[in-house]
């Protein structure tokens, strides 16, 4: 990948994952060239990569838009996350050390404080959640997982649904993290795997409830 297409990829991906973009939003190569500050040739390379990640889709008429997944597709995304992240947690439990346990605890304190404010700080929650799961992936020490997981974890659905979750849902995320930390501290890989699986499936059902409420409004 050229430097220009790499820059275009990063900027366009960041734009897609921002709060300014909604599922189904149509985009043009001209608009993406403006966003990324490069010519249309590297934009095409970046778009192809983002299509492979299923962040962008093309219609039968070749129009480009932000992916808008069906319920079944979202269920599959969360199911794949549950399989991969539970495997990462299992591996991480075998490789966790005191320094990284302390980092996980500090990150989760930040996350918990963010959701317990009078008005939940969703941006801080998302960043702390990203760091928490990212550290687990790092301790898993698996290059394959490091390639596969980010495209699922950073799907726009993850970012958008956090703002729709209830405060209880957000608080529960921190509680799940505490149990993961306990499993890592005990070095119990099976416990860590089970908690992570439950954590991701809980997120899916919270998402489903949130989107059902929105559909009714």
């Amino acid at each position: 990948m050229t430097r220009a297409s790499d820059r275009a990829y990063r900027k366009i991906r960041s734009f897609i994952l921002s709060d300014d973009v909604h599922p189904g939003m149509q985009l043009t190569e001209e608009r993406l060239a403006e966003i990324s500050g490069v010519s249309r040739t590297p934009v095409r390379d970046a778009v192809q990569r983002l299509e492979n990640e299923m962040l962008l889709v093309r219609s039968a008429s070749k129009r480009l838009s932000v992916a808008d997944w069906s319920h079944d597709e979202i269920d599959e995304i969360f199911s794949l996350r549950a399989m991969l992240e539970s495997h990462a947690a299992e591996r991480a439990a075998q490789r966790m050390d005191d320094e990284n346990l302390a980092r996980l605890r500090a990150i989760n304190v930040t996350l918990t404080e963010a959701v317990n404010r009078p008005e939940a700080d969703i941006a801080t929650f998302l960043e702390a959640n990203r760091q928490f799961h990212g550290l687990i992936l790092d301790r898993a020490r698996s290059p394959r997982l490091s390639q596969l997981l980010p495209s699922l974890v950073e799907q726009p659905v993850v970012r958008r649904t956090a703002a729709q979750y209830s405060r209880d849902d957000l608080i529960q995320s921190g509680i799940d993290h505490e149990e993961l930390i306990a499993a890592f501290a005990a070095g119990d890989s099976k416990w860590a795997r089970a908690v992570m699986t439950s954590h991701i499936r809980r997120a899916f059902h919270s998402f489903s409830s949130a989107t059902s409420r929105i559909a009714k409004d």
Side-chain angles (χ1 to χ4, degrees):
M1 184 180 293
T2 67
R3 186 171 300 177
S5 61
D6 188 40
R7 183 167 68 251
Y9 167 79
R10 291 196 307 270
K11 289 192 175 183
I12 295 169
R13 195 173 195 277
S14 178
F15 172 71
I16 293 169
L17 294 172
S18 74
D19 294 332
D20 298 326
V21 175
H22 58 81
M25 179 177 176
Q26 290 196 355
L27 298 168
T28 64
E29 289 184 356
E30 292 85 351
R31 173 66 176 132
L32 295 178
E34 291 176 7
I35 291 168
S36 57
V38 300
S39 67
R40 291 176 61 179
T41 297
V43 163
R44 291 191 188 102
D45 292 337
V47 165
Q48 184 174 11
R49 184 173 176 184
L50 292 163
E51 286 183 84
N52 291 339
E53 293 181 9
M54 296 187 295
L55 293 178
L56 292 175
V57 295
R58 286 190 187 274
S59 67
S61 60
K62 304 299 182 182
R63 290 188 176 182
L64 192 66
S65 62
V66 177
D68 186 6
W69 297 288
S70 68
H71 179 84
D72 286 345
E73 288 172 324
I74 291 168
D75 189 359
E76 183 182 37
I77 288 171
F78 277 96
S79 295
L80 289 170
R81 280 191 62 197
M83 287 188 287
L84 294 175
E85 290 209 64
S86 62
H87 182 56
E90 185 174 21
R91 288 178 60 90
Q94 300 164 359
R95 296 163 176 79
M96 193 63 66
D97 54 28
D98 290 342
E99 178 183 353
N100 284 288
L101 272 173
R103 290 176 62 193
L104 284 175
R105 291 189 179 101
I107 292 168
N108 206 41
V109 166
T110 299
L111 181 148
T112 302
E113 289 176 346
V115 301
N116 280 307
R117 293 175 185 174
E119 184 174 345
D121 182 346
I122 300 300
T124 299
F125 169 88
L126 285 168
E127 177 58 22
N129 191 63
R130 185 192 65 78
Q131 291 179 12
F132 190 92
H133 286 264
L135 181 52
I136 292 171
L137 179 57
D138 179 69
R139 295 310 299 167
R141 293 289 187 261
S142 170
R144 292 179 183 84
L145 279 173
S146 295
Q147 287 185 332
L148 293 169
L149 256 176
S151 63
L152 291 171
V153 174
E154 295 184 11
Q155 298 281 14
V157 66
V158 176
R159 296 178 61 87
R160 294 192 184 99
T161 53
Q164 299 164 4
Y165 287 164
S166 68
R167 186 181 295 272
D168 286 346
D169 290 330
L170 297 174
I171 290 171
Q172 183 62 52
S173 183
I175 294 171
D176 289 350
H177 288 180
E178 287 294 339
E179 188 173 0
L180 276 168
I181 292 169
F184 292 143
D188 191 325
S189 59
K190 301 305 180 186
W191 184 13
R193 184 184 186 94
V195 175
M196 183 63 85
T197 300
S198 174
H199 179 56
I200 302 301
R201 292 310 299 172
R202 191 197 310 278
F204 167 69
H205 287 291
S206 295
F207 167 79
S208 295
S209 296
T211 50
S212 295
R213 288 195 301 271
I214 290 170
K216 292 176 182 177
D217 291 344

